[in-house]
mmCIF file of all heavy atoms in Angstrom:
data_model
loop_
_atom_site.group_PDB
_atom_site.id
_atom_site.type_symbol
_atom_site.label_atom_id
_atom_site.label_comp_id
_atom_site.label_asym_id
_atom_site.label_seq_id
_atom_site.Cartn_x
_atom_site.Cartn_y
_atom_site.Cartn_z
ATOM 1 N N GLY A 87 -12.055 -0.743 -4.247
ATOM 2 C CA GLY A 87 -11.603 -2.025 -3.859
ATOM 3 C C GLY A 87 -11.045 -2.086 -2.462
ATOM 4 O O GLY A 87 -10.521 -3.154 -2.032
ATOM 5 N N PHE A 88 -11.081 -0.972 -1.721
ATOM 6 C CA PHE A 88 -10.589 -0.954 -0.328
ATOM 7 C C PHE A 88 -11.804 -1.172 0.603
ATOM 8 O O PHE A 88 -12.889 -0.594 0.381
ATOM 9 C CB PHE A 88 -9.922 0.406 0.032
ATOM 10 C CG PHE A 88 -8.655 0.616 -0.691
ATOM 11 C CD1 PHE A 88 -8.637 1.323 -1.907
ATOM 12 C CD2 PHE A 88 -7.441 0.162 -0.194
ATOM 13 C CE1 PHE A 88 -7.452 1.603 -2.612
ATOM 14 C CE2 PHE A 88 -6.247 0.388 -0.861
ATOM 15 C CZ PHE A 88 -6.250 1.066 -2.080
ATOM 16 N N ARG A 89 -11.586 -1.974 1.647
ATOM 17 C CA ARG A 89 -12.660 -2.160 2.654
ATOM 18 C C ARG A 89 -12.522 -1.023 3.662
ATOM 19 O O ARG A 89 -11.500 -0.776 4.247
ATOM 20 C CB ARG A 89 -12.422 -3.495 3.345
ATOM 21 C CG ARG A 89 -13.563 -3.987 4.179
ATOM 22 C CD ARG A 89 -13.379 -5.501 4.579
ATOM 23 N NE ARG A 89 -11.979 -5.864 4.727
ATOM 24 C CZ ARG A 89 -11.254 -5.724 5.845
ATOM 25 N NH1 ARG A 89 -11.803 -5.172 6.879
ATOM 26 N NH2 ARG A 89 -10.026 -6.118 5.877
ATOM 27 N N ILE A 90 -13.628 -0.311 3.868
ATOM 28 C CA ILE A 90 -13.613 0.889 4.717
ATOM 29 C C ILE A 90 -14.674 0.756 5.831
ATOM 30 O O ILE A 90 -15.843 0.457 5.588
ATOM 31 C CB ILE A 90 -13.953 2.140 3.851
ATOM 32 C CG1 ILE A 90 -12.849 2.240 2.730
ATOM 33 C CG2 ILE A 90 -13.899 3.388 4.735
ATOM 34 C CD1 ILE A 90 -13.129 3.305 1.724
ATOM 35 N N ARG A 91 -14.231 1.052 7.048
ATOM 36 C CA ARG A 91 -15.122 1.068 8.202
ATOM 37 C C ARG A 91 -15.213 2.484 8.754
ATOM 38 O O ARG A 91 -14.218 2.956 9.304
ATOM 39 C CB ARG A 91 -14.628 0.095 9.287
ATOM 40 C CG ARG A 91 -15.634 -0.049 10.441
ATOM 41 C CD ARG A 91 -15.265 -1.179 11.359
ATOM 42 N NE ARG A 91 -14.124 -0.930 12.202
ATOM 43 C CZ ARG A 91 -14.240 -0.430 13.439
ATOM 44 N NH1 ARG A 91 -15.402 -0.161 13.971
ATOM 45 N NH2 ARG A 91 -13.140 -0.226 14.124
ATOM 46 N N PRO A 92 -16.374 3.123 8.628
ATOM 47 C CA PRO A 92 -16.509 4.470 9.191
ATOM 48 C C PRO A 92 -16.677 4.347 10.741
ATOM 49 O O PRO A 92 -17.374 3.480 11.239
ATOM 50 C CB PRO A 92 -17.836 4.971 8.531
ATOM 51 C CG PRO A 92 -18.160 4.046 7.454
ATOM 52 C CD PRO A 92 -17.500 2.740 7.825
ATOM 53 N N VAL A 93 -16.016 5.279 11.435
ATOM 54 C CA VAL A 93 -16.075 5.278 12.887
ATOM 55 C C VAL A 93 -16.300 6.730 13.367
ATOM 56 O O VAL A 93 -16.078 7.719 12.666
ATOM 57 C CB VAL A 93 -14.796 4.685 13.564
ATOM 58 C CG1 VAL A 93 -14.645 3.261 13.148
ATOM 59 C CG2 VAL A 93 -13.593 5.516 13.163
ATOM 60 N N GLY A 94 -16.739 6.898 14.620
ATOM 61 C CA GLY A 94 -16.936 8.202 15.178
ATOM 62 C C GLY A 94 -18.289 8.716 14.856
ATOM 63 O O GLY A 94 -19.270 7.950 14.775
ATOM 64 N N GLY A 95 -18.422 10.029 14.638
ATOM 65 C CA GLY A 95 -19.720 10.589 14.326
ATOM 66 C C GLY A 95 -19.820 12.063 14.252
ATOM 67 O O GLY A 95 -20.544 12.587 13.441
ATOM 68 N N ARG A 96 -19.093 12.812 15.119
ATOM 69 C CA ARG A 96 -19.204 14.244 15.142
ATOM 70 C C ARG A 96 -17.862 14.910 15.045
ATOM 71 O O ARG A 96 -16.838 14.397 15.508
ATOM 72 C CB ARG A 96 -19.876 14.729 16.455
ATOM 73 C CG ARG A 96 -21.248 14.169 16.752
ATOM 74 C CD ARG A 96 -22.276 14.284 15.664
ATOM 75 N NE ARG A 96 -22.646 15.675 15.325
ATOM 76 C CZ ARG A 96 -23.467 15.955 14.322
ATOM 77 N NH1 ARG A 96 -23.930 15.001 13.544
ATOM 78 N NH2 ARG A 96 -23.766 17.187 14.094
ATOM 79 N N HIS A 97 -17.838 16.127 14.526
ATOM 80 C CA HIS A 97 -16.650 16.999 14.469
ATOM 81 C C HIS A 97 -16.232 17.358 15.872
ATOM 82 O O HIS A 97 -17.087 17.479 16.773
ATOM 83 C CB HIS A 97 -17.047 18.260 13.656
ATOM 84 C CG HIS A 97 -15.860 19.146 13.316
ATOM 85 N ND1 HIS A 97 -15.153 19.876 14.239
ATOM 86 C CD2 HIS A 97 -15.335 19.375 12.092
ATOM 87 C CE1 HIS A 97 -14.243 20.575 13.616
ATOM 88 N NE2 HIS A 97 -14.285 20.277 12.323
ATOM 89 N N ALA A 98 -14.939 17.506 16.090
ATOM 90 C CA ALA A 98 -14.454 17.935 17.404
ATOM 91 C C ALA A 98 -15.065 19.263 17.809
ATOM 92 O O ALA A 98 -15.280 20.158 16.932
ATOM 93 C CB ALA A 98 -12.937 18.014 17.384
ATOM 94 N N PHE A 99 -15.207 19.497 19.067
ATOM 95 C CA PHE A 99 -15.722 20.729 19.652
ATOM 96 C C PHE A 99 -14.704 21.827 19.444
ATOM 97 O O PHE A 99 -13.526 21.650 19.587
ATOM 98 C CB PHE A 99 -15.947 20.532 21.159
ATOM 99 C CG PHE A 99 -16.327 21.745 21.923
ATOM 100 C CD1 PHE A 99 -17.634 22.170 21.879
ATOM 101 C CD2 PHE A 99 -15.386 22.423 22.607
ATOM 102 C CE1 PHE A 99 -18.015 23.311 22.579
ATOM 103 C CE2 PHE A 99 -15.743 23.613 23.348
ATOM 104 C CZ PHE A 99 -17.068 24.025 23.273
ATOM 105 N N ILE A 100 -15.176 23.006 19.001
ATOM 106 C CA ILE A 100 -14.291 24.138 18.852
ATOM 107 C C ILE A 100 -14.594 25.183 19.954
ATOM 108 O O ILE A 100 -13.850 25.315 20.940
ATOM 109 C CB ILE A 100 -14.436 24.854 17.452
ATOM 110 C CG1 ILE A 100 -13.932 23.887 16.419
ATOM 111 C CG2 ILE A 100 -13.641 26.104 17.404
ATOM 112 C CD1 ILE A 100 -13.981 24.462 14.987
ATOM 113 N N TYR A 101 -15.668 25.917 19.869
ATOM 114 C CA TYR A 101 -16.035 26.911 20.857
ATOM 115 C C TYR A 101 -17.492 27.175 20.733
ATOM 116 O O TYR A 101 -18.045 27.317 19.631
ATOM 117 C CB TYR A 101 -15.228 28.221 20.647
ATOM 118 C CG TYR A 101 -15.603 29.280 21.674
ATOM 119 C CD1 TYR A 101 -15.121 29.257 22.950
ATOM 120 C CD2 TYR A 101 -16.519 30.272 21.302
ATOM 121 C CE1 TYR A 101 -15.477 30.184 23.869
ATOM 122 C CE2 TYR A 101 -16.828 31.238 22.239
ATOM 123 C CZ TYR A 101 -16.346 31.214 23.548
ATOM 124 O OH TYR A 101 -16.724 32.114 24.466
ATOM 125 N N GLY A 102 -18.184 27.201 21.837
ATOM 126 C CA GLY A 102 -19.624 27.541 21.828
ATOM 127 C C GLY A 102 -20.453 26.473 21.096
ATOM 128 O O GLY A 102 -21.515 26.727 20.594
ATOM 129 N N GLY A 103 -19.937 25.245 21.046
ATOM 130 C CA GLY A 103 -20.640 24.143 20.397
ATOM 131 C C GLY A 103 -20.513 24.139 18.864
ATOM 132 O O GLY A 103 -21.161 23.393 18.177
ATOM 133 N N GLU A 104 -19.680 25.037 18.359
ATOM 134 C CA GLU A 104 -19.522 25.089 16.906
ATOM 135 C C GLU A 104 -18.243 24.473 16.480
ATOM 136 O O GLU A 104 -17.269 24.506 17.189
ATOM 137 C CB GLU A 104 -19.522 26.566 16.436
ATOM 138 C CG GLU A 104 -20.827 27.282 16.734
ATOM 139 C CD GLU A 104 -22.000 26.731 16.050
ATOM 140 O OE1 GLU A 104 -21.839 26.215 14.899
ATOM 141 O OE2 GLU A 104 -23.138 26.808 16.613
ATOM 142 N N PRO A 105 -18.102 23.884 15.253
ATOM 143 C CA PRO A 105 -19.240 23.594 14.432
ATOM 144 C C PRO A 105 -19.792 22.202 14.814
ATOM 145 O O PRO A 105 -18.978 21.314 15.088
ATOM 146 C CB PRO A 105 -18.632 23.597 13.054
ATOM 147 C CG PRO A 105 -17.246 23.063 13.249
ATOM 148 C CD PRO A 105 -16.846 23.552 14.618
ATOM 149 N N ASP A 106 -21.034 22.098 14.858
ATOM 150 C CA ASP A 106 -21.614 20.757 15.202
ATOM 151 C C ASP A 106 -22.036 20.093 13.895
ATOM 152 O O ASP A 106 -23.194 20.271 13.445
ATOM 153 C CB ASP A 106 -22.770 20.902 16.155
ATOM 154 C CG ASP A 106 -23.309 19.529 16.603
ATOM 155 O OD1 ASP A 106 -22.521 18.583 16.597
ATOM 156 O OD2 ASP A 106 -24.462 19.465 16.983
ATOM 157 N N CYS A 107 -21.133 19.403 13.285
ATOM 158 C CA CYS A 107 -21.470 18.742 11.980
ATOM 159 C C CYS A 107 -20.990 17.315 12.079
ATOM 160 O O CYS A 107 -20.202 16.913 12.928
ATOM 161 C CB CYS A 107 -20.860 19.461 10.791
ATOM 162 S SG CYS A 107 -19.063 19.359 10.698
ATOM 163 N N ALA A 108 -21.587 16.468 11.207
ATOM 164 C CA ALA A 108 -21.118 15.099 11.110
ATOM 165 C C ALA A 108 -19.672 15.020 10.708
ATOM 166 O O ALA A 108 -19.193 15.792 9.878
ATOM 167 C CB ALA A 108 -21.995 14.358 10.112
ATOM 168 N N ASN A 109 -18.949 14.053 11.279
ATOM 169 C CA ASN A 109 -17.577 13.759 10.936
ATOM 170 C C ASN A 109 -17.344 12.256 11.167
ATOM 171 O O ASN A 109 -17.490 11.772 12.284
ATOM 172 C CB ASN A 109 -16.588 14.580 11.820
ATOM 173 C CG ASN A 109 -15.101 14.311 11.439
ATOM 174 O OD1 ASN A 109 -14.465 15.099 10.777
ATOM 175 N ND2 ASN A 109 -14.565 13.177 11.845
ATOM 176 N N LEU A 110 -16.960 11.572 10.161
ATOM 177 C CA LEU A 110 -16.615 10.174 10.261
ATOM 178 C C LEU A 110 -15.158 9.988 10.011
ATOM 179 O O LEU A 110 -14.598 10.595 9.073
ATOM 180 C CB LEU A 110 -17.428 9.344 9.305
ATOM 181 C CG LEU A 110 -18.882 9.204 9.548
ATOM 182 C CD1 LEU A 110 -19.620 8.453 8.413
ATOM 183 C CD2 LEU A 110 -19.163 8.511 10.882
ATOM 184 N N GLY A 111 -14.470 9.205 10.800
ATOM 185 C CA GLY A 111 -13.160 8.719 10.552
ATOM 186 C C GLY A 111 -13.255 7.464 9.709
ATOM 187 O O GLY A 111 -14.288 6.786 9.721
ATOM 188 N N TYR A 112 -12.207 7.118 8.985
ATOM 189 C CA TYR A 112 -12.240 5.903 8.153
ATOM 190 C C TYR A 112 -11.098 4.987 8.413
ATOM 191 O O TYR A 112 -9.936 5.442 8.389
ATOM 192 C CB TYR A 112 -12.265 6.267 6.652
ATOM 193 C CG TYR A 112 -13.472 7.115 6.295
ATOM 194 C CD1 TYR A 112 -13.349 8.454 5.995
ATOM 195 C CD2 TYR A 112 -14.715 6.512 6.180
ATOM 196 C CE1 TYR A 112 -14.483 9.205 5.619
ATOM 197 C CE2 TYR A 112 -15.850 7.258 5.836
ATOM 198 C CZ TYR A 112 -15.708 8.598 5.551
ATOM 199 O OH TYR A 112 -16.839 9.369 5.223
ATOM 200 N N VAL A 113 -11.373 3.748 8.753
ATOM 201 C CA VAL A 113 -10.316 2.723 8.858
ATOM 202 C C VAL A 113 -10.269 1.968 7.565
ATOM 203 O O VAL A 113 -11.278 1.379 7.160
ATOM 204 C CB VAL A 113 -10.624 1.757 10.020
ATOM 205 C CG1 VAL A 113 -9.554 0.703 10.155
ATOM 206 C CG2 VAL A 113 -10.731 2.575 11.377
ATOM 207 N N ILE A 114 -9.164 2.061 6.854
ATOM 208 C CA ILE A 114 -8.989 1.467 5.550
ATOM 209 C C ILE A 114 -8.232 0.082 5.637
ATOM 210 O O ILE A 114 -7.169 0.025 6.161
ATOM 211 C CB ILE A 114 -8.156 2.378 4.635
ATOM 212 C CG1 ILE A 114 -8.611 3.875 4.731
ATOM 213 C CG2 ILE A 114 -8.130 1.894 3.184
ATOM 214 C CD1 ILE A 114 -9.978 4.142 4.299
ATOM 215 N N ASP A 115 -8.936 -0.967 5.160
ATOM 216 C CA ASP A 115 -8.357 -2.276 5.154
ATOM 217 C C ASP A 115 -7.785 -2.688 6.530
ATOM 218 O O ASP A 115 -6.716 -3.340 6.565
ATOM 219 C CB ASP A 115 -7.328 -2.443 4.071
ATOM 220 C CG ASP A 115 -7.908 -2.593 2.658
ATOM 221 O OD1 ASP A 115 -9.130 -2.805 2.575
ATOM 222 O OD2 ASP A 115 -7.180 -2.531 1.692
#
Side-chain angles (χ1 to χ4, degrees):
F88 293 93
R89 193 169 31 85
I90 303 172
R91 185 168 74 94
V93 298
R96 304 307 295 174
H97 190 288
F99 174 81
I100 293 182
Y101 179 79
E104 298 297 328
D106 186 26
C107 69
N109 181 103
L110 291 173
Y112 298 107
V113 179
I114 315 297
D115 283 349

